[in-house]
Amino acid sequence: MAYAESRALVAAEAEGDERAVEAALRPRTLAEVVGQERVREQLALVLEAARGRGRAPDHVLLSGPPGLGKTTLAMIIAAEMQSPLRLTSGPAITHAGDLAAILSGMNDGDVLFVDEIHRMSRPAEEMLYMAMEDFRVDVVIGKGPGATAIPLEIPPFTLVGATTRAGLLPGPLRDRFGFTAHLEFYEPAELELIVRRSAGLLDVHLTDEGAGEIASRSRGTPRIANRLLRRVRDYAQVRADGVVTLDIAHRALDLYEVDQSGLDRLDRAVLDALCRRFGGGPVGVSTLAVAVGEERETVEEVAEPFLVRSGFLARTPRGRVATPAAWQHLGLTPPPDGGSPYADASLFDTD
């Protein structure tokens, strides 16, 4: 069974042409950013202080799940400092020479954004240490005993690193960032404001109730909220009068199989298999993956994080367990507490 089509609606990553659509909806200044209030206040102080000193801001590390605005904040940092922005990604920097080529083209005050910085190659990471701290790199020419290191001075710049897995960053790299921020998932009220703002930019007629319905199914992620808004807009245009009301939003999202908790077909299939076929668990993730016809990695990395965060599924040393909320969501009656592995708190993985 394939779930790729519905999964694309609630995937936090952006691919292909969607990046161009996102660019038109991004906030341009910190004042336009909705949510992340503490991060916005801290970052505003860092940037204002740097402007007052007439120097480049400290290096910035942004961490958090995909779709929460790390790239947007990097663009805002460059805009607030009135500096050019250079964009690259960790997987694209496979050799130290790749990084040296990027750094050699930097000008004073430029902002370099490295997405998924934890995926850089180790030689490039080691070169980046010196570049961040001393604004200098040593370019090695030749090999073996005849190799020569040529020092290359780099104008002061600001590195903005983004990562979805901060724990994979080496300590020496993480310590060289002067400001670190972790982006949290958004509250429904914040997502509703984002949906209204995007609707204005897209010229979508939207009622307050319609905005709230879209926000409530967006899994705490602005990227998903904007994607669902575009799909509901299409439905309203083709099958209604173009106005996104509560009823239209409800019908459109039901058609696209995104339910009122933000679960898609794969999420519900995992819960259904866990409850109906395995009595609520515990069951191994490999068995669960076979039951829904997906790869183990797909279930473990795509479906499970949201199900665990939403309180529908628990990871225990003996396997995956459905919570009472999962049974309720499926309209099923859970087994008695005495026979439910979920009732035994000692089974939970404390790691």
Side-chain angles (χ1 to χ4, degrees):
M1 184 182 297
Y3 300 95
E5 185 175 349
S6 64
R7 167 58 52 179
L9 277 176
V10 294
E13 296 82 3
E15 298 180 358
D17 296 340
E18 187 175 19
R19 295 186 182 276
V21 178
E22 278 191 351
L25 301 178
R26 294 187 192 276
R28 307 297 181 187
T29 66
L30 281 175
E32 294 180 5
V33 175
V34 176
Q36 311 293 345
E37 293 182 4
R38 183 58 60 88
V39 172
R40 284 193 292 123
E41 184 177 0
Q42 294 172 343
L43 190 55
L45 286 173
V46 170
L47 298 181
E48 186 174 351
R51 286 195 298 267
R53 293 191 299 266
R55 300 181 59 183
D58 288 342
H59 303 301
V60 176
L61 177 64
L62 303 172
S63 65
L68 300 187
K70 297 184 293 293
T71 302
T72 296
L73 285 179
M75 293 179 173
I76 288 175
I77 290 171
E80 296 273 355
M81 297 304 299
Q82 298 182 343
S83 302
L85 177 67
R86 310 288 183 92
L87 294 95
T88 186
S89 65
I93 304 175
T94 57
H95 305 285
D98 300 332
L99 180 61
I102 294 172
L103 294 174
S104 64
M106 300 288 289
N107 297 314
D108 191 9
D110 283 2
V111 176
L112 173 62
F113 175 58
V114 182
D115 196 13
E116 294 300 295
I117 193 170
H118 64 273
R119 297 176 62 188
M120 288 179 59
S121 66
R122 183 54 60 87
E125 280 179 2
E126 294 174 352
M127 175 178 283
L128 192 58
Y129 297 160
M130 184 179 296
M132 294 173 68
E133 199 163 35
D134 302 326
F135 298 108
R136 180 177 70 89
V137 295
D138 291 333
V139 180
V140 178
I141 305 298
K143 297 182 178 180
T148 304
I150 301 176
L152 175 64
E153 298 295 328
I154 304 169
F157 70 98
T158 297
L159 173 67
V160 179
T163 177
T164 55
R165 306 183 70 179
L168 296 183
L169 281 179
L173 177 58
R174 190 167 52 246
D175 294 343
R176 282 170 168 78
F177 287 96
F179 174 73
T180 61
H182 181 78
L183 303 189
E184 304 287 349
F185 286 102
Y186 287 65
E187 296 296 327
E190 296 171 336
L191 289 172
E192 188 172 340
L193 293 175
I194 292 173
V195 169
R196 290 178 185 174
R197 177 183 178 275
S198 298
L201 294 173
L202 295 172
D203 195 25
V204 176
H205 298 288
L206 181 73
T207 66
D208 292 344
E209 294 79 8
E213 183 70 9
I214 294 171
S216 68
R217 304 195 192 196
S218 298
R219 303 165 75 110
T221 306
R223 175 174 291 153
I224 296 175
N226 286 329
R227 186 184 296 139
L228 295 182
L229 171 64
R230 296 197 300 274
R231 299 291 71 79
V232 174
R233 172 199 61 183
D234 295 344
Y235 184 96
Q237 176 185 333
V238 175
R239 298 193 178 181
D241 59 2
V243 178
V244 177
T245 62
L246 173 62
D247 180 59
I248 292 298
H250 189 90
R251 283 192 279 162
L253 294 174
D254 283 352
L255 174 66
Y256 286 112
E257 298 183 287
V258 179
D259 70 21
Q260 292 182 328
S261 296
L263 275 61
D264 71 347
R265 288 178 61 199
L266 176 59
D267 300 322
R268 291 192 299 275
V270 169
L271 293 185
D272 189 78
L274 186 56
C275 294
R276 294 182 189 273
R277 303 186 196 180
F278 303 108
V283 60
V285 65
S286 297
T287 302
L288 203 53
V290 171
V292 299
E294 286 287 349
E295 298 292 332
R296 173 194 172 110
E297 292 75 14
T298 302
V299 172
E300 196 168 24
E301 298 175 11
V302 176
E304 275 194 357
F306 181 68
L307 292 175
V308 171
R309 180 166 62 87
S310 300
F312 292 118
L313 181 145
R315 291 173 172 172
T316 78
R318 292 173 56 193
R320 275 50 177 175
V321 175
T323 69
W327 291 89
Q328 182 178 4
H329 186 79
L330 295 176
L332 302 175
T333 302
D337 287 347
S340 171
Y342 182 78
D344 185 355
S346 65
L347 294 179
F348 280 92
D349 189 352
T350 57
D351 292 341

